[in-house]
Amino acid sequence: MGTLDNCRECGHLFVKSGSINICKSCFDKEEALFQRVSSFLKKRANRTATTYEVMKETGVSDSLIHQFIRQGRLVLTNFPNISYPCMQCNAQIREGRLCHSCSQEIKHGLEKHNREMIRSNEEPTRPTYRSNERKKE
């Protein structure tokens, strides 16, 4: 059974089921916009369109086009000039959530953190003494 929630688009109260965060009315509007984008891209002449051209010709916002891509509803294999922004730096990418640079930066940061954690576990913890305290034996 669903739970009550507010639609993230219009704010109306609706019964949320699954991962859909919008009411039926907004979902239908979004679906119609997806069909508009999909129909535009299905035409052979439009397959080389850029994201901007798709946005301009269909009237669908770039953020909604990017959402369709991230949801897996638009597969970029057949559309070589469509891209979307990296979640970290907004560089244009064609797959995943992060560009190569941001991905490598996070990977190196995690590796550094792991090395530090290993070092801290290998070295015994030594007590620190203030200059006015004496070590008691």
Side-chain angles (χ1 to χ4, degrees), residues 3-16 20-27 29:
T3 59
L4 285 178
D5 202 354
N6 290 94
C7 175
R8 66 176 161 86
E9 293 295 320
C10 69
H12 287 104
L13 196 62
F14 75 106
V15 177
K16 181 178 177 180
I20 299 173
N21 293 325
I22 56 177
C23 67
K24 174 81 168 111
S25 175
C26 289
F27 178 82
K29 289 176 189 173

Side-chain angles (χ1 to χ4, degrees), residues 55-110:
M55 181 181 72
K56 185 177 168 187
E57 293 297 320
T58 62
V60 177
S61 70
D62 59 343
S63 61
L64 193 53
I65 294 169
H66 298 154
Q67 179 182 315
F68 295 150
I69 295 168
R70 286 194 175 102
Q71 290 172 340
R73 297 179 76 189
L74 284 179
V75 181
L76 300 184
T77 308
N78 297 323
F79 313 115
N81 297 324
I82 294 181
S83 58
Y84 57 98
C86 166
M87 300 284 283
Q88 183 79 17
C89 71
N90 290 326
Q92 293 299 303
I93 58 175
R94 291 193 35 87
E95 62 183 352
R97 292 182 170 268
L98 299 171
C99 67
H100 180 73
S101 176
C102 289
S103 178
Q104 289 300 312
E105 186 178 321
I106 291 172
K107 180 181 174 186
H108 292 304
L110 286 172

